[in-house]
């Protein structure tokens, strides 16, 4: 009896130790691959075709092939894909850093256009893809999908890959394009996830006008509440750090508090079933506008590089894993008997993605241009083509949503679901490789002198922006504040004047409200209190030196 019990315990301990050892080996190899991606990405920095996203994708594909050969066709990846890993750990630092380092003046000057592209455009794209899938999938020999599945497919493939887009565009060379594509990408991801979750939880069997309005109201409620939660969390962090000023005792505490408050905003949104993407994005914007100026100088440098580094590692991790998971033999085994069907589904979805994006980029750009009086503010046809092209890439958000819909714990035994998973992988790989590689040459061909000209929306009013790109948005905003008076902003003398110059007018009134009410309470540049050990004390002390 004791011998059998001892032998069973020994066998369990051996299996646990073997599993732990395998996990340690996998993590070691994955970390080594991340290092390889960084080194190779650095060597290819000036390459006009390949960026770091594509580099990580190619290394992931090559690693998957090697593992596939070593395991004799049984396995192709080191880690099992988990949508929780993606949405809870990898996506938050990417989206937060995007909001933290964005040039806010440009972003909010184009806010209406960005929201139109990101929210209304995503709904249009989802509708076009869903209608097309409903028509074409009936003619193919695949599983029967109900209305909920079709709408979910539309939401899955309406989600652009803002991660790859950020690496392709440069906000100093193409400020207007970067502002529009970047802002639309973040809002698009949030809208796609909100749409997907709403479709999953909504009863589509009794669809009528009342249900449609209820669905729309629920969508707007989630959208607005997510934004308010992000702004509120950012303001709370600014107020706490401004009042308590942790930096006089320990800079580590204020850095830790900023990082934890940023992550808390995302987790609170997930807890209340809101959009964590929108919440953490606006939390990043508010923190960069208020909180960042309330910490010590050393903490500013630390947080800037910490957030950027975490975002960079998460991006590399995602593309590396997507490349490896693309060769998972289990998913391809179910479609091996009908490769033509899988290719047809992938081609149809890719065509619908292109059509769905064109269905809103060009019409919404035309409508946006009607409200712009200055020709330099308008989105010309070349810029519209680049916006359309840069948003065709699909990535980890689409894959995570597809896994959520068509698999259980990353596995599926249904042929129709397997076809959708493999088609999603194919579309993501093709769009990232082809559209991602050709975006830079396309920009150089359509706008060869863009980097040497100064856009109306470019904030290159200070040489600091040439050396500190992560901080130039706030520095440029501050330059506008203190380099000129408020009288430089033209005031509208009629309703037509207000409609023709809404951005500058709203920005003027926001500056007045911000300086009078917000900054005295929450801090920010020029409103940091005099505290022993603070940046103000050191700068004052330096100025007092002979």
């Amino acid at each position: 009896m004791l011998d059998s019990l001892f032998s069973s315990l020994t066998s369990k301990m051996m299996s646990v130790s073997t599993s732990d050892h395998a996990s340690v080996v996998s993590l070691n190899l994955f970390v080594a691959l991340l290092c390889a991606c960084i080194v190779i990405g650095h060597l290819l920095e000036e390459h006009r075709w390949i960026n770091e996203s594509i580099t990580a994708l190619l290394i992931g594909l090559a690693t998957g092939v090697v593992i596939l050969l070593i395991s004799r066709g049984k396995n192709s990846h080191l880690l099992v894909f988990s949508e929780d890993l993606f949405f809870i750990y990898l996506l938050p630092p990417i989206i937060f850093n995007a909001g933290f380092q964005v040039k806010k003046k440009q972003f909010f000057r184009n806010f209406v256009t960005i929201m139109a592209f990101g929210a209304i455009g995503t709904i249009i794209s989802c509708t076009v893809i869903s209608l097309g899938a409903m028509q074409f999938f009936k003619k193919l020999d695949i599983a029967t999908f109900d209305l909920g599945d079709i709408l979910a497919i539309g939401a899955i493939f309406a989600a652009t890959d803002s991660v790859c887009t950020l690496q392709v565009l440069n906000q100093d060379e193409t400020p207007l394009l970067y502002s529009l594509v970047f802002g639309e990408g973040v809002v698009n991801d949030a809208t796609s996830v909100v749409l997907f979750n709403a479709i999953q939880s909504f009863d589509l069997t009794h669809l009528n006008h009342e249900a449609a309005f209820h669905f729309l109201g629920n969508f707007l409620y989630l959208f607005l509440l997510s934004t308010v939660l992000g702004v509120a969390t950012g303001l709370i962090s600014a107020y706490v750090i401004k009042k308590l000023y942790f930096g006089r005792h320990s800079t580590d505490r204020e850095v830790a508090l900023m990082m934890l408050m940023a992550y808390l905003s995302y987790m609170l949104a997930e807890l209340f079933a809101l959009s964590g993407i929108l919440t953490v994005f606006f939390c990043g914007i508010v923190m960069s506008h208020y909180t960042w100026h309330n910490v010590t100088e050393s903490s500013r440098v630390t947080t800037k590089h910490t957030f950027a580094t975490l975002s960079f590692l998460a991006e590399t991790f995602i593309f590396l894993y997507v490349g490896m998971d693309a060769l998972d033999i289990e998913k391809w085994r179910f479609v091996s008997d009908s490769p033509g069907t899988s290719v047809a589904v992938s081609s149809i979805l890719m065509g619908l993605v292109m059509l769905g994006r064109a269905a809103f980029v060009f019409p919404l750009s035309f409508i946006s241009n009607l409200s712009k009086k200055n020709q330099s503010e308008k989105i010309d046809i070349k810029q519209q083509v680049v916006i359309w092209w840069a948003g065709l890439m699909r990535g980890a958000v689409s894959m995570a949503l597809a896994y959520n819909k068509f698999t259980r714990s990353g596995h599926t035994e249904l042929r129709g679901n397997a076809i959708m998973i493999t088609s999603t992988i194919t579309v993501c790989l093709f769009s990232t490789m082809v559209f991602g590689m050709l975006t830079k040459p396309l920009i150089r061909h359509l706008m060869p002198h863009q980097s040497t000209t100064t856009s109306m929306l470019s904030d290159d009013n200070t040489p600091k922006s040439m050396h500190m790109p992560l901080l130039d948005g706030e520095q440029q905003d501050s330059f506008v504040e203190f380099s000129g008076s408020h009288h430089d902003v033209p005031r509208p003398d009629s309703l037509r004047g207000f409609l023709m110059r809404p951005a500058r007018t709203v920005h003027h009134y926001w500056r007045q409200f911000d300086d009078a009410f917000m900054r005295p309470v929450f801090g920010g540049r020029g409103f940091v209190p005099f505290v022993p050990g603070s940046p103000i004390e050191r700068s004052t002390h330096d100025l007092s030196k002979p």
Side-chain angles (χ1 to χ4, degrees), residues 127-439:
T127 303
V128 171
I129 295 172
S130 298
L131 291 175
M134 187 182 299
Q135 294 298 320
F136 287 107
F137 285 3
K138 292 179 181 178
K139 303 177 182 179
L140 299 175
D141 184 22
I142 58 177
T144 304
F145 295 114
D146 57 26
L147 180 60
D149 295 330
I150 294 296
L151 292 177
I153 291 172
I156 289 169
F157 288 96
T160 62
D161 186 4
S162 58
V163 176
C164 190
T165 302
L166 291 177
Q167 294 189 357
V168 170
L169 296 175
N170 186 295
Q171 66 176 333
D172 291 320
E173 293 183 357
T174 53
L176 174 60
L177 284 178
Y178 185 92
S179 176
L180 292 176
V181 176
F182 154 77
E184 181 233 333
V186 174
V187 178
N188 167 277
D189 286 346
T191 305
S192 299
V193 174
V194 171
L195 268 177
F196 181 83
N197 292 333
I199 291 168
Q200 293 286 83
S201 61
F202 202 73
D203 184 14
L204 297 172
T205 57
H206 304 89
L207 194 61
N208 51 40
H209 294 292
E210 183 179 351
F213 280 112
H214 177 69
F215 179 84
L216 180 61
N218 186 48
F219 172 78
L220 294 176
Y221 167 79
L222 292 176
F223 211 86
L224 294 175
L225 206 61
S226 300
T227 303
V228 170
L229 179 61
V231 172
T233 309
L235 291 177
I236 291 173
S237 70
Y239 183 80
V240 170
I241 290 180
K242 176 177 179 288
K243 286 298 181 182
L244 300 182
Y245 204 83
F246 296 89
R248 61 188 171 190
H249 297 303
S250 172
T251 58
D252 297 336
R253 291 172 184 166
E254 58 185 4
V255 172
L257 186 62
M258 283 188 68
M259 296 177 65
L260 291 175
M261 288 294 287
Y263 191 66
L264 179 64
S265 69
Y266 187 88
M267 296 310 298
L268 283 175
E270 294 297 315
L271 177 65
F272 296 122
L274 302 175
S275 172
I277 297 176
L278 264 184
T279 299
V280 78
F281 174 71
F282 281 99
C283 180
I285 291 179
V286 173
M287 276 194 171
S288 68
H289 189 66
Y290 297 108
T291 313
W292 189 77
H293 290 285
N294 296 340
V295 300
T296 59
E297 193 68 31
S298 59
S299 295
R300 295 180 192 179
V301 176
T302 302
T303 52
K304 179 195 73 169
H305 291 293
T306 299
F307 293 141
T309 301
L310 290 175
S311 175
F312 170 75
L313 288 176
E315 292 172 7
T316 308
F317 187 100
I318 289 172
F319 283 101
L320 182 62
Y321 184 79
V322 167
M324 293 171 56
D325 191 69
L327 298 177
D328 184 12
I329 197 65
E330 177 187 306
K331 303 179 185 65
W332 295 98
R333 187 180 292 120
F334 289 98
V335 298
S336 58
D337 58 336
S338 55
T341 302
S342 181
V343 172
V345 172
S346 301
S347 302
I348 289 171
L349 289 173
M350 193 69 252
L352 290 174
V353 166
M354 300 175 71
L355 179 63
R357 185 155 183 83
F360 75 85
V361 168
F362 299 106
L364 292 182
S365 297
F366 174 77
I367 295 174
S368 175
N369 288 339
L370 293 179
S371 64
K372 304 293 178 61
K373 185 176 182 180
N374 195 330
Q375 190 66 29
S376 62
E377 299 179 19
K378 296 184 178 181
I379 310 171
D380 60 40
I381 187 62
K382 293 182 178 180
Q383 292 172 329
Q384 293 177 32
V385 170
V386 173
I387 292 172
W388 170 76
W389 182 273
L392 292 174
M393 289 173 277
R394 298 295 179 267
V397 174
S398 295
M399 286 191 62
L401 295 179
Y403 272 83
N404 179 283
K405 179 64 180 179
F406 297 108
T407 69
R408 289 186 178 180
S409 301
H411 303 281
T412 181
E413 295 182 358
L414 299 177
R415 179 174 174 271
N417 291 355
I419 288 177
M420 290 310 306
I421 292 294
T422 54
S423 298
T424 304
I425 293 172
T426 303
V427 170
C428 291
L429 287 177
F430 179 84
S431 61
T432 302
M433 296 287 291
V434 175
F435 300 130
M437 291 177 67
L438 295 178
T439 300

Side-chain angles (χ1 to χ4, degrees), residues 3 9 46 81 87 159 165 342 427 431 437 453 501 503:
D3 291 340
L9 288 174
E46 301 300 328
F81 183 86
F87 280 111
T165 302
S342 181
V427 170
S431 61
M437 291 177 67
T453 59
R501 298 189 298 271

